[in-house]
Amino acid sequence: MLLWVALTATAGALAVPGQAAGRQGDFAEAAREYGVPQSVLLGVSYLQSRWDAHAGEPSTAGGYGPMHLVDLTALPGQEREPGGDHAHGDARGDSARPVRHSPSDSSQPSSPPHTGDSQRETAGLPGAGSPLAGSPSVSGGALLKEAGRLTGLSSARLRSDPAANIRGGAALLASFQERPSSDPAQWYGAIIRYAGSRSFADEVLSVIRAGASRRTDDGSVVRLTAEPGLRSPAPLRRAASPAECPPALTCEWMPAAYKRTGKKDYGNHDRLDHSRQVDYIIVHDTEGTYRGISALVKNPKYVSWHYTIRSNDGHVAQHVLTKDIAWHAGNWDVNSRSIGIEHEGYLAKGGTWYTEAMYRASAKLVRHLANKHDIPLDRAHILGHDNVPGTTPDTLPDMHDDPGPYWDWAHYFDLLGEPLGSAGRDTSYDKAALPNDPSHDPSNGPSHDQDPSFEHTWWSTPIGETLWDAPFKISFGPAWHEPPSSEATPRREEEFARPDRDAPYQWSREDAQLGGGGSVLIRPSYDDHRPRFTGCTSAKPAKACPPHGASVVWLHTEPRHKATLIDDIGKLVGKPSTYSVYDHSARASTGQRYAVAERRGDWTAIWYLGQKAWFHNPRSRPTAVPARGPLVTPIKPTVKVYGRAYPEKSAYRGTGVAFQRHVPLPYTIRQGQSYTVGHTLTGTYQSATSFKPAKHVMVKGDLRYHQIQLGHRVMFVRAEDVRIIR
C-alpha cells in the first residue's frame, strides 16, 4: 500500500503539460500524486467546503481548508459570538405562559461529543477497526496530524495553504484505500473512513453522478464532471426509530426532554394528542457546535427544536416529533404552526462554514417535510429565524437574526428543486470573454472604505432566464379575484397555479412607469455579490468582515450608495440601522418578494416597513428579478400589522381559554402602499398550559389574515383592512 502511494507520488510530481490553473489544477495535481480519482477528491471537498479555503479559518468542527482537515486543538479557542444565541428572549413566545426560567440556566456539556453515527455505518467495511475510522470525533481529530505525517508538511501549512491542504486530503484518502482503483465507487469505504459517515459517502457518489461547478474564493472556477453511470452501494439497513426522515438520510432519534420542572411548570416542548396544521419550516443556526446539542436538548429548562443538522457531514438528529410543538421561534403562533431545524454554525461565520453536506441534508429533509405537510416551497413558508415576526413591540428587539446574510438561499432552493430564478449569474465563467470594462474588475470602483454600501457584483451578465413565483396558498371568495366589498367573506382556500415557467416575462407598461407596479424577487448572484458587513469579530465589532458572497441587498432612503440606510423602528428602537452582520433592519433577502414602489435608473424602490426602500438593481447585473403574485393595499388611511394571527374575542367563548389580546406592532401601512401576500389563514390559538396534552385546547375563529412581506420579517394584516390588487 505504502509502496503504491510512494510510486504514484513520484510519478505525479512530474510536470504535466496543459495543467489546469487555479484550484482546479491543485485538485488535479494532488489526485495524480496520490492516485486518487479526481472526482473522489472533488466530491469529498465539495461537500465539506464547497472547494473554498475559508481564509485559513476553522469550521465549527475544527476543520481547515478545502479538504476540511480537522485539528481538534482549534476548538477550545472558538468563542460563542454574540447575536444569535438562544440564551436570550423567550423561545416559546406565548404571553399566556411565558418561560419561567432562563434558557441561559442550562449547563454546558462536560461529556465527550455525541457523534450520532451508529456502528452499523462502518461495520464490515475495509479498515473499519482503524483508530481513524468511525465517528468524526475520532477520525476528524487526527486528520490534520495524520496528513502531516503522510505528506511531510507542517500543520501550519496544511491549515493555511489550499494546495497543501488538498495534497493532505488526497494522501489521507489514498492511505484509507486498500487497493488502487480508478473507479470512484471502489473508494466508498475510504470516503467513509475519511468522514466517519456512510451517509456522507453516499452523498459524495451522488455529487459525482450529478457533477458540480462554482467559482471558489480564490476567483477560479472548479468543475466536477458528471458521471451519471456511477453505481450506488447497497441501501443501508436502518434500525427502527421514531425519527421522521426520508430514506436517503441517516437520521437518529435524540429526544428532547419533556419533564415537570416545578409544580405548575414543565419543559421543554408541548406534546399534542391531535394532529396540527404546519405552515412553516424555520431555518436556524445553532450559534454553537454540535458537541453540545445532546446536553442542551435534554435539559427541560432549556428550549427545544425539531431537528439538528451537523455541519461536517450533514448528519441529522431529531428531538421532537413533528406533530408536537417545539419552543424555537420566539413566537407562539409561529411555533404552533412550524417545524424548527437547527444547523450547526455561527451566523457571523456562516459564509465560511455552512457546508454543502449540511445544505444537501437539510434540503432533503425540508423537501420530505414539505411533501408530508403540504407546505409550499417558497420564501413565504420556508423562513429563516430572522424572518419570524415578534409577538409584541417589547419582544421585537430580542428576536433572533439567524441564519443571517451568509445563508445561500438561492442554492438551498436549487437543492429543494424550486429554483428562485437567476440574476447576474455568470454562466460562462470565462474571464477572457468579459468586455474590457473596468467595472468588471473588483479592484476598481468604490472601495469598502469609500462607500460602505457598495455591493460588488462583478463577473455578471444580464438575466438569462425568467422567474415565476412558487405556488402558495391564499383565500378568495366565490370568484378567483378579491370580492368587491371588504365585507364579503372569503369562503375557500385555493392555490395559485404557477404560470408557464418557460413563457418569457416582459415588464408591463405599468411596470416601466416611474410609479413602479408589480413585484420583484430579491436575487443577487451569491458568489459574486459581496456587500460590506461589520461585526464578524466580537473583539472589534466595527471591523469589516472578510469579503464573501451574501444573499441580501442593502436598503437605502434614497437611490444612491451613500444614502443612509432605512430604519426599523421596532428592531433598533431609537437608533439608526447599521452594517452589522447581526442587524437586518435595512436588508432584503434572496427569495423574498416585495411590491415595487418606484424605479429610477439602476435603482428600484420597494415598499418596506411603511416606507420606500431603495436598492441597487442595474440592468447589467440585476439583484432582483420580475415576479408575479398577489399584492394587498390598505382600504383605510392607515392599517395596523400584527405578529400573530390570533382569533377574535368571541371565538374564546365556552372554551375555558382566556382571550389573547391583539397587540399591534409599531408599524403601519398606508393607502397607496402595497405589500406582497404569501399566505392567507383564519386565526387560531393553540392553548397549551398543562403538562397533560389532553387539556390543551385549540381555539378557532373566523377572523382572516393575510401574511405580508412587510420588512425583513413577515407579518400579518387583517383581510378586512386591505384588498387584493393583483
Side-chain angles (χ1 to χ4, degrees):
M1 172 66 183
L2 293 178
L3 177 61
W4 166 63
V5 171
L7 290 174
T8 55
T10 302
L14 299 176
V16 179
Q19 170 71 51
R23 197 152 295 162
Q24 184 88 53
D26 295 336
F27 280 108
E29 178 61 24
R32 278 190 291 268
E33 182 177 356
Y34 289 98
V36 181
Q38 188 174 345
S39 60
V40 169
L41 198 58
L42 287 167
V44 169
S45 176
Y46 183 67
L47 284 188
Q48 294 197 315
S49 70
R50 300 179 82 186
W51 302 322
D52 285 339
H54 304 311
E57 291 295 318
S59 73
T60 55
Y64 288 87
M67 294 304 299
H68 196 256
L69 300 181
V70 176
D71 178 5
L72 289 182
T73 62
L75 290 175
Q78 289 194 15
E79 58 182 318
R80 181 180 292 273
E81 299 285 358
D85 187 325
H86 286 300
H88 71 275
D90 177 3
R92 193 175 195 274
D94 183 9
S95 55
R97 183 187 173 252
V99 172
R100 295 182 175 89
H101 46 265
S102 169
S104 61
D105 290 342
S106 64
S107 59
Q108 293 300 315
S110 57
S111 58
H114 182 96
T115 66
D117 286 319
S118 63
Q119 292 296 322
R120 65 180 180 274
E121 285 213 22
T122 53
L125 291 165
S130 165
L132 293 176
S135 70
S137 62
V138 178
S139 64
L143 285 183
L144 189 131
K145 181 178 180 180
E146 182 67 6
R149 186 186 71 80
L150 291 170
T151 63
L153 299 172
S154 68
S155 294
R157 187 174 175 190
L158 288 168
R159 291 191 191 102
S160 60
D161 182 347
N165 185 276
I166 293 168
R167 284 187 64 208
L172 282 165
L173 282 164
S175 71
F176 295 154
Q177 179 71 2
E178 292 190 339
R179 292 182 296 276
S181 176
S182 60
D183 180 2
Q186 292 297 318
W187 288 74
Y188 186 69
I191 298 169
I192 292 175
R193 295 183 63 191
Y194 189 96
S197 168
R198 176 169 176 172
S199 58
F200 180 90
D202 289 339
E203 198 62 36
V204 168
L205 297 188
S206 177
V207 169
I208 295 173
R209 276 192 292 272
S213 176
R214 74 178 292 265
R215 188 180 298 281
T216 62
D217 56 6
D218 70 341
S220 67
V221 174
V222 176
R223 292 185 179 88
L224 169 57
T225 302
E227 299 183 32
L230 186 65
R231 67 184 186 280
S232 299
L236 177 66
R237 292 184 179 180
R238 306 191 187 282
S241 168
E244 304 165 279
C245 283
L249 282 181
T250 298
C251 190
E252 70 167 309
W253 177 242
M254 186 193 294
Y258 186 67
K259 298 179 181 178
R260 292 188 183 274
T261 57
K263 186 176 181 180
K264 294 184 178 181
D265 200 12
Y266 65 92
N268 57 15
H269 60 282
D270 282 290
R271 294 185 177 175
L272 302 180
D273 61 357
H274 57 79
S275 60
R276 67 181 179 124
Q277 174 67 38
V278 179
D279 294 323
Y280 308 110
I281 294 174
I282 312 298
V283 173
H284 304 256
D285 77 39
T286 60
E287 290 301 306
T289 66
Y290 190 86
R291 302 191 318 280
I293 294 302
S294 178
L296 293 178
V297 80
K298 291 177 181 178
N299 186 339
K301 293 187 176 182
Y302 200 61
V303 296
S304 60
W305 51 97
H306 292 88
Y307 296 88
T308 303
I309 302 181
R310 192 164 58 201
S311 175
N312 72 299
D313 62 353
H315 177 75
V316 179
Q318 184 175 2
H319 317 295
V320 177
L321 294 176
T322 58
K323 76 174 185 65
D324 295 330
I325 303 173
W327 304 350
H328 61 97
N331 182 316
W332 179 249
D333 183 37
V334 173
N335 277 342
S336 67
R337 297 186 286 118
S338 70
I339 294 170
I341 304 176
E342 291 278 358
H343 298 78
E344 183 187 16
Y346 297 87
L347 181 159
K349 302 175 183 178
T352 317
W353 286 110
Y354 286 154
T355 68
E356 181 67 12
M358 187 166 67
Y359 276 128
R360 294 170 80 93
S362 181
K364 287 181 180 179
L365 177 62
V366 168
R367 195 164 57 239
H368 169 77
L369 295 172
N371 288 336
K372 178 180 178 180
H373 295 279
D374 194 25
I375 303 170
L377 290 173
D378 59 30
R379 289 286 279 114
H381 297 83
I382 311 301
L383 303 176
H385 197 178
D386 52 350
N387 306 135
V388 175
T391 55
T392 65
D394 291 341
T395 65
L396 281 171
D398 283 336
M399 293 301 290
H400 289 203
D401 310 308
D402 56 302
Y406 295 132
W407 183 265
D408 191 346
W409 285 107
H411 180 56
Y412 193 52
F413 271 79
D414 285 344
L415 294 173
L416 286 170
E418 291 290 343
L420 295 173
S422 144
R425 178 69 61 87
D426 175 9
T427 56
S428 67
Y429 295 112
D430 185 359
K431 279 189 176 182
L434 291 173
N436 186 17
D437 182 346
S439 67
H440 289 280
D441 185 350
S443 64
N444 292 307
S447 69
H448 287 319
D449 294 333
Q450 293 169 324
D451 185 356
S453 68
F454 184 76
E455 296 158 356
H456 300 290
T457 51
W458 49 86
W459 298 324
S460 298
T461 56
I463 296 175
E465 59 181 281
T466 186
L467 170 81
W468 299 105
D469 281 80
F472 60 91
K473 293 180 178 178
I474 183 168
S475 301
F476 294 96
W480 187 80
H481 53 78
E482 177 76 354
S485 168
S486 62
E487 297 178 358
T489 303
R491 291 188 294 187
R492 62 193 175 96
E493 187 165 274
E494 296 184 342
E495 190 168 296
F496 270 122
R498 180 193 297 248
D500 182 359
R501 293 180 66 177
D502 296 326
Y505 178 75
Q506 300 294 332
W507 289 103
S508 67
R509 180 172 298 178
E510 180 183 358
D511 291 333
Q513 291 174 349
L514 186 63
S519 59
V520 292
L521 201 83
I522 304 301
R523 182 59 173 85
S525 177
Y526 182 90
D527 288 334
D528 303 331
H529 178 71
R530 301 189 172 193
R532 178 181 184 264
F533 294 102
T534 61
C536 290
T537 305
S538 58
K540 298 179 179 179
K543 182 180 178 181
C545 298
H548 197 281
S551 61
V552 300
V553 295
W554 289 114
L555 301 174
H556 302 266
T557 55
E558 299 177 48
R560 54 188 180 88
H561 288 296
K562 293 187 178 181
T564 56
L565 296 175
I566 288 290
D567 284 335
D568 182 340
I569 61 174
K571 181 172 175 60
L572 298 177
V573 181
K575 299 178 181 178
S577 298
T578 71
Y579 287 98
S580 169
V581 71
Y582 295 106
D583 182 8
H584 58 66
S585 303
R587 297 201 303 243
S589 180
T590 292
Q592 292 178 324
R593 186 171 66 93
Y594 292 92
V596 175
E598 188 176 345
R599 293 186 180 85
R600 293 186 195 173
D602 288 343
W603 290 79
T604 299
I606 55 177
W607 290 114
Y608 189 92
L609 297 174
Q611 55 197 317
K612 287 183 180 180
W614 294 90
F615 67 96
H616 194 225
N617 185 28
R619 290 180 181 274
S620 61
R621 50 180 190 268
T623 53
V625 294
R628 285 184 177 175
L631 311 177
V632 294
T633 190
I635 59 175
K636 302 177 179 180
T638 61
V639 167
K640 296 176 181 178
V641 299
Y642 301 88
R644 301 173 290 195
Y646 278 172
E648 68 280 7
K649 188 173 184 179
S650 61
Y652 293 81
R653 293 172 186 161
T655 64
V657 177
F659 169 56
Q660 301 300 302
R661 293 189 308 116
H662 297 181
V663 182
L665 297 177
Y667 316 105
T668 57
I669 61 176
R670 301 177 181 275
Q671 285 182 317
Q673 300 177 3
S674 53
Y675 294 86
T676 61
V677 181
H679 185 54
T680 293
L681 67 160
T682 302
T684 60
Y685 172 64
Q686 175 67 66
S687 175
T689 59
S690 172
F691 185 66
K692 297 181 179 179
K695 292 188 176 182
H696 298 341
V697 178
M698 170 63 79
V699 179
K700 298 181 180 180
D702 296 318
L703 186 60
R704 303 285 287 174
Y705 292 88
H706 293 306
Q707 175 188 310
I708 64 171
Q709 190 68 57
L710 183 72
H712 190 78
R713 302 186 189 275
V714 299
M715 296 179 198
F716 304 99
V717 293
R718 294 178 178 178
E720 63 189 13
D721 292 338
V722 297
R723 65 183 177 88
I724 299 283
I725 58 175
R726 281 177 183 258

